[in-house]
Amino acid sequence: AQTVTQSQPEMSVQEAETVTLSCTYDTSESDYYLFWYKQPPSRQMILVIRQEAYKQQNATENRFSVNFQKAAKSFSLKISDSQLGDAAMYFCAYSGGSNYKLTFGKGTLLTVNP
Amino acid sequence: DGGITQSPKYLFRKEGQNVTLSCEQNLNHDAMYWYRQDPGQGLRLIYYSQIVNDFQKGDIAEGYSVSREKKESFPLTVTSAQKNPTAFYLCASSIEGVAGIYEQYFGPGTRLTVT
């Protein structure tokens, strides 16, 4: 079974600084997708960024980028120029195989200090 | 506006009662999902449905039931057999997008408290 591990239960960053959230996963599939979701205090889950495993190029979305290391099964999220609105729980998620299920990590709570 | 609605936002029930959580989407998505979220945990999949009149158990289906009679609707019933039903419940839907990715879009959730 696929597993997703987020080793940092909590992280903090100063406003305008850069922070990296870690995620590792375990799978025997060769074709899969990885996601980072954000859950602010409203508890609405918001898709931040996605990565296709067959792509070597790391995905970027404005201030958000990933470092995808397929051999190491690592998928970290970098947030640049952190803003107060980035404060949230961040979940790493995996989807692969013949179904469309998402497997989530337990999350990292990010605090942004002014 | 297109989106996923869940009602109600907060729900209170007495132990031993069944309760049904609503999930409706107008995104024309084929697949729908139910997740449970507990403090300190990620989301865990309860049930999912890839097409009308068909659904599959997820990782924690015991004590729950679903139906998928319409494409737009995927209600979840929490039965009295569910030992620890108090939790935050999230509904999601998805459709095949770019490069075959099935991105999931989430509703606002329902907080269920059973006493």
Side-chain angles (χ1 to χ4, degrees):
Chain A
Q2 290 81 15
T3 58
V4 177
T5 302
Q6 293 180 249
S7 59
Q8 306 152 317
E10 297 183 25
M11 292 281 285
S12 64
V13 63
Q14 291 296 125
E15 197 175 2
E17 296 294 310
T18 296
V19 65
T20 298
L21 309 184
S22 301
C23 173
T24 58
Y25 58 94
D26 186 28
T27 184
S28 57
E29 301 285 345
S30 58
D31 190 20
Y32 52 88
Y33 306 100
L34 296 162
F35 306 87
W36 279 98
Y37 280 88
K38 169 184 177 180
Q39 189 179 42
S42 67
R43 305 198 78 171
Q44 175 73 54
M45 292 287 285
I46 302 164
L47 178 64
V48 175
I49 199 166
R50 66 171 186 264
Q51 174 79 43
E52 298 93 319
Y54 66 85
K55 285 189 176 179
Q56 293 185 339
Q57 186 175 7
N58 289 326
T60 63
E61 286 288 342
N62 301 314
R63 298 182 295 107
F64 299 87
S65 61
V66 299
N67 183 5
F68 174 50
Q69 301 288 329
K70 191 172 184 178
K73 296 181 181 175
S74 171
F75 182 60
S76 61
L77 174 69
K78 185 171 82 171
I79 306 174
S80 303
D81 186 26
S82 296
Q83 300 175 358
L84 294 177
D86 295 333
M89 184 73 85
Y90 286 82
F91 292 98
C92 179
Y94 165 99
S95 178
S98 60
N99 61 59
Y100 317 124
K101 298 189 299 180
L102 280 176
T103 300
F104 286 86
K106 292 189 176 182
T108 296
L109 179 63
L110 178 66
T111 302
V112 181
N113 301 311
Chain B
D1 285 3
I4 303 171
T5 57
Q6 292 185 245
S7 60
K9 191 171 179 64
Y10 299 97
L11 191 54
F12 298 89
R13 280 293 183 269
K14 293 291 187 184
E15 197 172 317
Q17 293 179 335
N18 291 353
V19 58
T20 297
L21 281 60
S22 167
C23 178
E24 303 278 334
Q25 54 100 359
N26 60 4
L27 300 169
N28 199 33
H29 286 177
D30 293 313
M32 296 186 73
Y33 313 79
W34 273 106
Y35 293 90
R36 170 182 172 136
Q37 186 177 23
D38 296 285
Q41 300 285 331
L43 278 66
R44 292 182 291 168
L45 183 65
I46 304 172
Y47 268 98
Y48 64 104
S49 167
Q50 296 175 1
I51 197 170
V52 174
N53 293 322
D54 187 44
F55 48 82
Q56 289 78 39
K57 292 181 179 180
D59 300 319
I60 56 165
E62 185 176 351
Y64 299 97
S65 66
V66 294
S67 63
R68 188 84 188 278
E69 297 177 0
K70 298 187 299 182
K71 188 176 185 177
E72 302 79 17
S73 179
F74 190 42
L76 172 75
T77 297
V78 185
T79 75
S80 56
Q82 167 51 232
K83 290 182 172 55
N84 189 15
T86 295
F88 186 63
Y89 291 88
L90 283 157
C91 178
S93 68
S94 70
I95 192 170
E96 184 173 4
V98 176
I101 295 175
Y102 285 76
E103 292 181 7
Q104 293 191 18
Y105 298 86
F106 286 82
T110 292
R111 171 67 184 178
L112 173 65
T113 302
V114 177
T115 57

